[in-house]
Amino acid sequence: MQLVQDKQEVTEIMADEIMHQDIIPLYAADIQDQLKKQFAYLSGGRGGDGCPVITFPDYPAFSEIPEKEFQNVLTYLTSIPSLRDAGIGFILVIDRRQDKWTSVKASILRIAASFPGNLQLVLVLRPTGFFHRALSDIAFRFNKDELKMKVPIIMLGSVSELQSYIDKTQLTEDLGGTLDYCHNRWLSRRTAIEGFAQKVKQTAQILQSFGTELAETELPNDVQSTSSLLATHTEKKDKMKEDIRVAVEQGDDILGSITKPVTENPDYKLNQDQLDNQTTVERLLAQLHETETAFDEFWMKHQQKLEQCLRLRNFEQNFREVKAALDIVSERLSAFTDVGNSRSHVEHILKDLANFKEKSDETVTKAKMLASERDAFIQSNHYAVDSIIPKCSELHHLCDAFTTEIERRRKLLNKSLELHDLLEKSMKWCDEGIYLLASQPVDKCQSQDGAESALQEIEKFLDTGAGNKIKELNKIYEEYAHILNEDLKDHVQKVFQKQESMEEMFQKRQVSLKKLAAKQTRPVQPVAPRPEAFVKSPCTSPGLQRENVSNSESSALRRVNYRKAKSETTELHQSRGGSTMDDEENLAVLRQHVMNELIETERAYVEELLCVLEGYAAEMDNPLMAHLIPPELQNKKDILFGNMEEIYHFHNRIFLRELETYVEYPELVGRCFLDQMEDFQIYEKYCQNKPRSESLWRQFSDSVFFQECQRKLDHKLSLDSYLLKPVQRITKYQLLLKEMLKYSKNCEGAEDLQEALTSILGILKAVNDSMHQIAITGYDGNLNELGKLLMQGSFNVWTDHKKGHTKVKDLARFKPMQRHLFLHEKAVLFCKKREENGEGYEKAPSYSYKHSLNMAAVGITENVKGDAKKFEIWYNAREEVYIVQAPTPEVKATWVNEIRKVLTSQLQACREASQHRTLEQTQSLPLPLPASSCASPSRNHIRNTKKTEEKKADLTSLEGCGTTVAPKYPEKGKGWAKPSHSLDASEENDGWSSAEEALNSSDAEEEGAGGAGEIKLTPGKYTVVTDYDKGVSEEFTVKSGDLVQLIREGEDGLWFVKNLSSGREGWIPASNLLMLIGNSKSAQSLSSSESGTASSNLSTSSSCSDSCNVSSTSFSDIKG
């Protein structure tokens, strides 16, 4: 390598010509202290033939200089001149003018013995004293042989004699010359020159080592390692360049100090040593520049190779990434196999394809740009161009293949869109034709003019079919063969069959109308439409695939029966007039219209949900869109969209497919709703989350993220409009079901339609109720523990409590409270409605919890005198009474019935518990009932011989254990009497309770039985012998011949009576009652078994209430 060779040459020059490093590796810095003693110095003067002059000045302690120091100084001084000058020989000037002869002798001998170089002449300035001068002359003659050296020794007596040997200009001032010499300056300059030479040598060595390292470095295989290596080498190169720059500056400074006298004084002439120093420094600088140039050339090649390697690694990495991205988009493109099942579906797929192409264009563009780098690699003479060209060609091929495939997909979808346009035109034409047939009035067509007018309408409509209907099915199959799958082919076939059926209907209508348009022989009486339903379906029923086998069998049985009924109906209708058939066809057409609307709107709904989930929800997880999402909105997708994804999967995977199987049997679609009714419960969760969703939307509706998503989807409406779609859809079903039911009154599926409509309305009610329930505030417990929410609504409420101050009670009677009631299975909650300010769902009210009543201790009075909208809810044996006024009598009736159902269900649970307990007691301890349990005076007449019958009556009477009835008026100073009665009588009573203690029942009846000589009335059934309309309850009347039941005796001689004929109930004074029933035999026919049953019911009521009150002890009554 040239760089290494140049460095070696520099090293050789420095070693041979500068410092003789192969002989004496000494530097001024190493012996600086020894040189400072100045017992010998090289002044730079020269002899006549250019011999270097070494001067030994007068140094008193010359003999005390250690031998090692003496050798070092002489060696160093003789190594400074060039080889040529040193080869001529040195001239030694020994100045001993102030010394003794003995010292002169010793100095000469020491110098002669230790001088390492060639000597040409030794000049000794002998002592100047008379004695020592004479002595030196004599001694020198006698000791000349002893002092004999390789060169002559000349003893000089004065400086002037010295100048005859050496020119004055070559001698320093202390020897009478004019040579400018400063020892300290000389020493400093020598140190600098040698330091610079050392620096040049080190730089050369470092450059050599660095060059070797670069030459031996293997190229990495990845971008990061290559980039790191390039950065590391560049950093080292920059450091090398900095060291060279510093060395050059150092050399320039030394050279400037050498030439400074000449610069300041052009007449100044440098001595030979100075000239040698200048030459040395210039040579070192030149060698340094040459080394730097060689290194720069080598670095450029190395850097180019590293940069090419980095570029190659970047290309390879980008190639891998782009190829992987192309593979991904190609795989996603391969998923676009669906050609759509409707026009809107195809349009949606085309839109998705366009969006996909827009997103994938970035990948394709990146791939093409990467492939276009091929020419740049070739032009730059890249060392790996042979491996780059195939990769670029592969990228070009992949891009072209992807572009071709996406264009092919687009053409297929456009062809599918064209086919669906044709199918929709045909279907629309068929629907318009069916509507035309259905809209032609039957009565007008009976006349000749009306028939001719209808014929013209039909012919005019048929003329429009040229551009709308499918002409030849085989041509359609042939033209669209490459997109026709089984489903689409079946759809084409159905549309064509529908078209044929419609045309057949038109032909039949034309035949009928032509007959009517002919001259009529007698007037035709229009026939009113009959209510029978008739469905004309030219298509066979598709096999409905149900997950449940029983549902599949039931559905199949239904359709067999339906087809049988349809066949019978068709035969029946054929015997009737054409007008009846037309009317039935009209109903079939209207049902089909509703079914079409249901399916089309369902498809549109599913597509809208998918659009929202892909265009908004999925984008919230897209890293490329993350920068557009506000930080407060991140991780709140579940709040914004709720369970929309769950709703989408239900409709897309299950409900829509099920609906499509009923397309030819619209009147049976109610079964489809009933089969999936449980899944519709997911809407309750969505609606409950809607307030939170809408609140979050209002906070970020102006976000750039939503605007960008809306722009990509090309939506005219913002996201909030689409978030409302599920709420709108669940309410739409009941409207469509009502329409379908309207046109299917007498069809086989009418009952299913009615049940489906009721279920959907129930779901809507549950959703609405839950929306109110989640607005309850202040309730400490868990609302879910109260059971299912049955009803909710606002009422006027008066309170009438036994406890509390009299004034408070009186005030409560006249001033109603506005309360919102929530009826649960286990409790009824009283809340205060509070209107909120805001928008949308924030404007919805909230409900502040006040108190609650445990349903296990609640009773009701259905009718309150004076107001048909009022009823009573009382608690704990009427310790608390709430008079509730509903908005309308209908609302009141609904609430009373619902509360009655709750109490009845609780009563049934109490019965079962009492039956089980009584059975256990009977089996373990068959003891007779105590006398105190008797509730009827007739119980005192039961004999002991009938104990077994009493036990049997007690067991069987449990089945008739009913709810206790609150009497209308309480006895003063006593508790409320609560005798029980059978369930068939209790279901129509005013007073209802599921858990009361019948503790005072027997006491009250025993007191009532104490009157001697009175005619006793006992509970039972009697026949009325005279009319009566003066009861305590104004609505209670009886007529002669009615059958009434005496249920219980109240206070002030009143009996609670039920008219079994009319079902009405009321209170009648005992005196009037005796007159009404007269000598009715039923009054005297109360058997012992009946009496036993009555008393048994009372005792059972007491035990029933005990069991029910167990559950009520854990439910606290919190008063608001």
Side-chain angles (χ1 to χ4, degrees):
M1 190 175 81
Q2 184 65 35
L3 176 63
V4 178
Q5 294 175 355
D6 293 339
K7 292 176 183 176
Q8 291 175 350
E9 292 176 1
V10 172
T11 305
E12 292 174 359
I13 293 173
M14 290 167 55
D16 297 339
E17 298 186 5
I18 301 175
M19 293 177 291
H20 302 234
Q21 291 180 353
D22 54 337
I23 301 175
I24 303 175
L26 287 177
Y27 300 97
D30 298 336
I31 57 173
Q32 187 173 7
D33 294 337
Q34 301 170 19
L35 291 174
K36 284 183 178 179
K37 293 179 180 180
Q38 200 176 348
F39 60 84
Y41 61 86
L42 188 65
S43 63
R46 290 291 188 271
D49 52 358
C51 298
V53 177
I54 296 178
T55 302
F56 291 87
D58 187 17
Y59 190 78
F62 185 82
S63 61
E64 299 176 2
I65 297 174
E67 185 62 26
K68 181 65 174 176
E69 292 183 6
F70 188 75
Q71 288 287 345
N72 289 340
V73 171
L74 290 183
T75 302
Y76 178 73
L77 292 179
T78 56
S79 66
I80 293 176
S82 63
L83 292 177
R84 183 180 60 81
D85 292 343
I88 298 175
F90 291 89
I91 297 177
L92 303 183
V93 177
I94 303 174
D95 184 8
R96 291 294 182 265
R97 286 177 292 178
Q98 305 297 329
D99 209 347
K100 301 177 182 178
W101 166 247
T102 56
S103 297
V104 172
K105 179 180 177 181
S107 297
I108 293 174
L109 290 176
R110 187 173 187 181
I111 292 171
S114 302
F115 194 78
N118 297 328
L119 290 175
Q120 189 180 50
L121 182 65
V122 178
L123 300 176
V124 181
L125 289 174
R126 58 189 177 187
T128 57
F130 176 78
F131 175 75
H132 288 288
R133 181 188 300 175
L135 182 61
S136 62
D137 290 339
I138 298 171
F140 181 74
R141 290 191 184 98
F142 287 101
N143 297 299
K144 192 172 184 179
D145 294 337
E146 185 180 355
L147 298 176
K148 186 176 181 181
M149 299 176 66
K150 294 180 182 181
V151 295
I153 300 175
I154 301 175
M155 303 294 292
L156 302 176
S158 64
V159 175
S160 57
E161 292 180 4
L162 178 61
Q163 292 177 358
S164 62
Y165 291 93
I166 300 175
D167 189 82
K168 183 178 180 180
T169 58
Q170 302 299 318
L171 295 174
T172 58
E173 293 180 356
D174 58 338
L175 295 178
T178 59
L179 181 64
D180 181 21
Y181 176 77
C182 175
H183 189 68
N184 291 332
R185 183 180 63 195
W186 175 87
L187 182 59
S188 175
R189 184 169 295 167
R190 288 303 308 174
T191 303
I193 292 174
E194 291 174 359
F196 176 58
Q198 194 93 2
K199 182 73 172 177
V200 172
K201 180 181 178 181
Q202 291 176 358
T203 300
Q205 292 175 347
I206 292 174
L207 287 177
Q208 181 180 6
S209 175
F210 184 48
T212 304
E213 177 186 349
L214 296 184
E216 296 176 354
T217 301
E218 294 184 1
L219 299 178
N221 293 323
D222 59 282
V223 175
Q224 184 176 358
S225 299
T226 306
S227 179
S228 176
L229 180 64
L230 179 60
T232 302
H233 285 185
T234 303
E235 182 180 359
K236 288 184 178 181
K237 184 267 299 184
D238 293 339
K239 188 176 183 302
M240 296 293 99
K241 294 288 290 184
E242 179 64 19
D243 291 343
I244 292 174
R245 185 190 63 79
V246 171
V248 170
E249 288 183 355
Q250 181 180 351
D252 290 339
D253 291 341
I254 295 173
L255 186 61
S257 65
I258 293 174
T259 59
K260 184 177 180 180
V262 178
T263 304
E264 295 177 353
N265 183 12
D267 297 334
Y268 183 84
K269 292 184 179 181
L270 298 175
N271 60 42
Q272 189 61 42
D273 278 358
Q274 290 174 333
L275 291 173
D276 290 344
N277 289 340
Q278 179 181 354
T279 302
T280 300
V281 173
E282 288 176 348
R283 183 177 297 171
L284 288 172
L285 285 173
Q287 293 294 334
L288 191 60
H289 284 302
E290 291 177 3
T291 303
E292 181 180 15
T293 301
F295 175 75
D296 288 343
E297 292 177 357
F298 172 77
W299 170 253
M300 286 181 63
K301 295 178 181 179
H302 180 72
Q303 183 183 28
Q304 181 183 11
K305 190 172 184 179
L306 282 181
E307 288 176 349
Q308 286 185 348
C309 179
L310 179 61
R311 187 178 177 186
L312 175 62
R313 301 301 177 238
N314 276 318
F315 174 81
E316 292 173 344
Q317 179 176 324
N318 293 336
F319 173 79
R320 289 192 295 268
E321 293 175 355
V322 168
K323 188 175 184 300
L326 284 175
D327 291 341
I328 291 174
V329 296
S330 298
E331 183 179 355
R332 290 179 179 175
L333 179 60
S334 63
F336 281 87
T337 57
D338 195 355
V339 293
N341 52 23
S342 66
R343 176 183 174 82
S344 57
H345 190 196
V346 176
E347 289 177 343
H348 183 74
I349 297 175
L350 274 171
K351 192 172 185 179
D352 288 345
L353 184 64
N355 292 335
F356 170 74
K357 183 179 183 301
E358 182 180 353
K359 293 178 181 178
S360 60
D361 279 346
E362 181 180 354
T363 300
V364 175
T365 303
K366 187 175 180 181
K368 289 182 177 179
M369 290 180 62
L370 187 63
S372 65
E373 294 182 10
R374 165 186 173 179
D375 296 336
F377 279 109
I378 295 175
Q379 292 176 2
S380 61
N381 293 322
H382 197 282
Y383 67 88
V385 68
D386 292 338
S387 65
I388 294 173
I389 292 177
K391 291 183 173 63
C392 293
S393 300
E394 183 179 359
L395 288 179
H396 277 299
H397 174 71
L398 290 175
C399 291
D400 294 341
F402 176 80
T403 304
T404 303
E405 180 62 18
I406 203 169
E407 183 64 23
R408 189 184 72 83
R409 299 280 183 182
R410 188 184 63 80
K411 290 181 178 179
L412 284 178
L413 289 172
N414 285 332
K415 201 69 177 176
S416 177
L417 186 65
E418 180 182 320
L419 176 59
H420 282 292
D421 282 340
L422 179 60
L423 295 178
E424 288 190 1
K425 284 182 181 180
S426 178
M427 291 181 66
K428 184 178 180 182
W429 185 67
C430 291
D431 291 341
E432 290 175 354
I434 295 173
Y435 182 78
L436 174 62
L437 293 178
S439 62
Q440 287 183 340
V442 178
D443 54 348
K444 292 184 179 180
C445 292
Q446 302 302 320
S447 66
Q448 184 175 2
D449 293 339
E452 290 178 352
S453 176
L455 272 173
Q456 292 176 2
E457 288 180 354
I458 290 176
E459 291 173 355
K460 183 178 180 181
F461 173 77
L462 291 176
D463 292 339
T464 63
N468 295 320
K469 69 177 183 178
I470 301 175
K471 297 178 181 179
E472 294 184 26
L473 191 60
N474 291 333
K475 286 188 176 181
I476 295 295
Y477 287 162
E478 182 180 350
E479 183 177 358
Y480 299 98
H482 49 291
I483 63 170
L484 283 176
N485 51 35
E486 291 298 326
D487 293 338
L488 190 54
K489 192 173 182 179
D490 185 54
H491 181 46
V492 172
Q493 188 175 4
K494 288 181 179 179
V495 172
F496 187 72
Q497 290 175 354
K498 182 177 181 179
Q499 178 182 297
E500 287 184 331
S501 299
M502 190 273 296
E503 291 176 339
E504 183 180 354
M505 292 169 62
F506 267 80
Q507 291 174 2
K508 292 180 179 180
R509 180 64 64 86
Q510 282 179 314
V511 172
S512 299
L513 290 175
K514 286 178 180 179
K515 292 179 181 180
L516 292 173
K519 185 176 181 180
Q520 300 178 2
T521 58
R522 60 179 178 176
V524 179
Q525 177 67 31
V527 181
R530 295 298 298 270
E532 290 84 1
F534 173 76
V535 176
K536 183 172 180 63
S537 177
C539 301
T540 58
S541 171
L544 302 183
Q545 297 179 356
R546 317 297 295 171
E547 295 179 2
N548 192 319
V549 177
S550 62
N551 288 343
S552 177
E553 294 175 355
S554 174
S555 178
L557 182 59
R558 285 175 178 269
R559 296 183 183 184
V560 169
N561 294 336
Y562 170 71
R563 285 193 288 268
K564 182 179 179 181
K566 184 180 73 172
S567 177
E568 295 173 355
T569 304
T570 303
E571 293 177 0
L572 178 62
H573 289 336
Q574 286 175 353
S575 63
R576 299 181 180 178
S579 61
T580 302
M581 182 175 292
D582 289 342
D583 186 52
E584 292 165 353
E585 290 178 354
N586 292 344
L587 291 175
V589 169
L590 293 173
R591 285 195 297 272
Q592 194 63 49
H593 274 294
V594 176
M595 191 66 189
N596 291 341
E597 181 181 359
L598 175 60
I599 293 179
E600 289 303 321
T601 54
E602 184 71 14
R603 288 171 179 165
Y605 174 56
V606 170
E607 290 170 3
E608 287 172 342
L609 292 182
L610 177 62
C611 193
V612 172
L613 292 174
E614 290 184 346
Y616 287 96
E619 290 298 309
M620 292 188 73
D621 299 327
N622 186 357
L624 300 179
M625 298 286 285
H627 65 286
L628 300 178
I629 304 177
E632 298 82 0
L633 184 60
Q634 293 180 354
N635 301 322
K636 292 186 178 179
K637 183 173 71 172
D638 293 339
I639 296 178
L640 185 61
F641 297 96
N643 61 331
M644 180 181 284
E645 184 173 356
E646 183 182 8
I647 293 174
Y648 165 73
H649 287 313
F650 161 62
H651 284 272
N652 182 53
R653 298 174 180 175
I654 301 175
F655 191 61
L656 177 57
R657 297 181 182 180
E658 291 294 319
L659 279 179
E660 290 173 342
T661 62
Y662 287 87
V663 66
E664 297 297 335
Y665 297 89
E667 66 278 6
L668 301 181
V669 77
R671 174 52 48 191
C672 179
F673 279 89
L674 292 176
D675 290 343
Q676 311 300 331
M677 195 56 64
E678 290 185 4
D679 292 321
F680 280 101
Q681 303 294 333
I682 58 180
Y683 279 90
E684 185 172 343
K685 179 179 178 182
Y686 184 84
C687 293
Q688 288 178 351
N689 180 70
K690 196 67 176 69
R692 300 173 63 201
S693 173
E694 188 164 300
S695 176
L696 186 65
W697 163 255
R698 277 194 300 275
Q699 296 179 41
F700 303 101
S701 59
D702 296 333
S703 171
V704 179
F705 170 75
F706 292 123
Q707 294 175 3
E708 179 65 15
C709 291
Q710 183 177 350
R711 184 192 66 79
K712 289 183 178 180
L713 294 172
D714 195 22
H715 281 179
K716 295 181 180 179
L717 300 177
S718 54
L719 174 61
D720 58 328
S721 300
Y722 291 91
L723 293 177
L724 197 60
K725 293 290 182 181
V727 181
Q728 295 171 338
R729 187 59 184 172
I730 192 63
T731 57
K732 178 73 173 176
Y733 288 129
Q734 56 102 4
L735 299 176
L736 293 171
L737 286 173
K738 284 180 181 178
E739 285 292 311
M740 185 65 77
L741 185 60
K742 178 180 176 183
Y743 305 130
S744 309
K745 293 282 186 182
N746 299 318
C747 293
E748 179 192 0
E751 293 181 2
D752 287 342
L753 285 171
Q754 182 61 56
E755 186 179 352
L757 175 60
T758 304
S759 300
I760 285 291
L761 291 175
I763 289 178
L764 291 176
K765 177 183 176 300
V767 169
N768 183 59
D769 290 346
S770 67
M771 295 295 291
H772 289 273
Q773 182 182 4
I774 63 176
I776 296 176
T777 60
Y779 183 74
D780 294 334
N782 186 355
L783 291 173
N784 295 329
E785 295 177 355
L786 303 182
K788 183 180 178 182
L789 176 63
L790 305 174
M791 304 281 289
Q792 56 84 25
S794 295
F795 300 88
N796 291 328
V797 179
W798 291 264
T799 60
D800 186 8
H801 302 340
K802 288 183 178 181
K803 299 180 181 180
H805 198 274
T806 305
K807 291 184 178 180
V808 176
K809 293 196 294 180
D810 292 340
L811 179 61
R813 291 177 187 273
F814 296 103
K815 184 178 180 181
M817 297 178 292
Q818 299 295 324
R819 290 291 182 263
H820 201 90
L821 272 60
F822 293 87
L823 176 61
H824 292 260
E825 291 176 330
K826 297 182 181 180
V828 57
L829 273 62
F830 289 77
C831 300
K832 185 175 182 180
K833 185 177 181 180
R834 301 184 185 277
E835 297 291 343
E836 301 290 343
N837 296 323
E839 298 179 359
Y841 284 96
E842 289 186 355
K843 197 174 182 180
S846 63
Y847 303 98
S848 178
Y849 170 77
K850 293 301 181 184
H851 64 283
S852 60
L853 304 177
N854 187 354
M855 289 302 294
V858 163
I860 61 167
T861 303
E862 297 186 11
N863 297 315
V864 176
K865 185 176 181 180
D867 194 339
K869 297 185 291 184
K870 289 183 179 178
F871 63 96
E872 287 184 350
I873 300 177
W874 40 270
Y875 191 66
N876 281 344
R878 299 188 69 88
E879 286 185 359
E880 301 177 15
V881 180
Y882 300 88
I883 302 172
V884 181
Q885 184 184 47
T888 63
E890 291 76 15
V891 174
K892 168 200 164 181
T894 305
W895 272 74
V896 168
N897 289 335
E898 197 65 38
I899 295 175
R900 183 189 302 158
K901 291 179 183 177
V902 175
L903 299 181
T904 303
S905 63
Q906 291 182 349
L907 177 62
Q908 183 64 27
C910 290
R911 273 192 198 153
E912 294 174 357
S914 295
Q915 284 180 349
H916 182 69
R917 185 169 57 254
T918 305
L919 183 60
E920 289 180 348
Q921 292 175 354
T922 303
Q923 292 175 349
S924 59
L925 285 172
L927 297 177
L929 293 174
S932 60
S933 66
C934 298
S936 173
S938 63
R939 177 65 69 97
N940 296 327
H941 300 288
I942 301 177
R943 292 172 298 179
N944 293 332
T945 57
K946 293 186 177 181
K947 287 183 179 180
T948 305
E949 296 179 2
E950 288 176 356
K951 293 178 181 178
K952 184 178 180 180
D954 287 342
L955 292 175
T956 57
S957 65
L958 290 175
E959 297 179 0
C961 176
T963 58
T964 60
V965 181
K968 194 71 176 181
Y969 305 103
E971 287 185 301
K972 296 180 180 179
K974 294 186 178 182
W976 291 84
K978 306 171 184 67
S980 300
H981 54 85
S982 63
L983 181 61
D984 59 350
S986 68
E987 287 183 354
E988 295 297 326
N989 284 343
D990 287 345
W992 278 82
S993 174
S994 63
E996 292 185 4
E997 296 179 359
L999 301 177
N1000 300 321
S1001 301
S1002 60
D1003 295 339
E1005 293 188 6
E1006 287 173 0
E1007 288 179 1
E1014 294 182 354
I1015 299 175
K1016 298 297 182 180
L1017 292 173
T1018 58
K1021 298 179 181 179
Y1022 300 85
T1023 303
V1024 177
V1025 298
T1026 181
D1027 295 345
Y1028 178 80
D1029 58 355
K1030 298 179 181 180
V1032 176
S1033 176
E1034 295 178 356
E1035 297 179 359
F1036 185 80
T1037 59
V1038 295
K1039 295 180 181 181
S1040 177
D1042 288 349
L1043 183 65
V1044 298
Q1045 182 178 9
L1046 276 62
I1047 298 176
R1048 67 178 180 277
E1049 184 180 8
E1051 62 182 8
D1052 297 333
L1054 297 176
W1055 274 83
F1056 190 79
V1057 181
K1058 178 179 180 181
N1059 188 341
L1060 298 180
S1061 300
S1062 65
R1064 296 184 179 275
E1065 302 169 340
W1067 293 88
I1068 301 178
S1071 58
N1072 293 348
L1073 189 58
L1074 289 171
M1075 180 182 65
L1076 287 175
I1077 61 177
N1079 294 324
S1080 173
K1081 292 183 180 180
S1082 299
Q1084 308 298 330
S1085 64
L1086 182 63
S1087 66
S1088 60
S1089 63
E1090 289 175 344
S1091 176
T1093 304
S1095 62
S1096 171
N1097 283 339
L1098 289 174
S1099 62
T1100 305
S1101 175
S1102 177
S1103 63
C1104 179
S1105 65
D1106 291 341
S1107 65
C1108 291
N1109 284 336
V1110 172
S1111 62
S1112 67
T1113 56
S1114 62
F1115 196 100
S1116 59
D1117 178 27
I1118 304 173
K1119 297 182 180 180

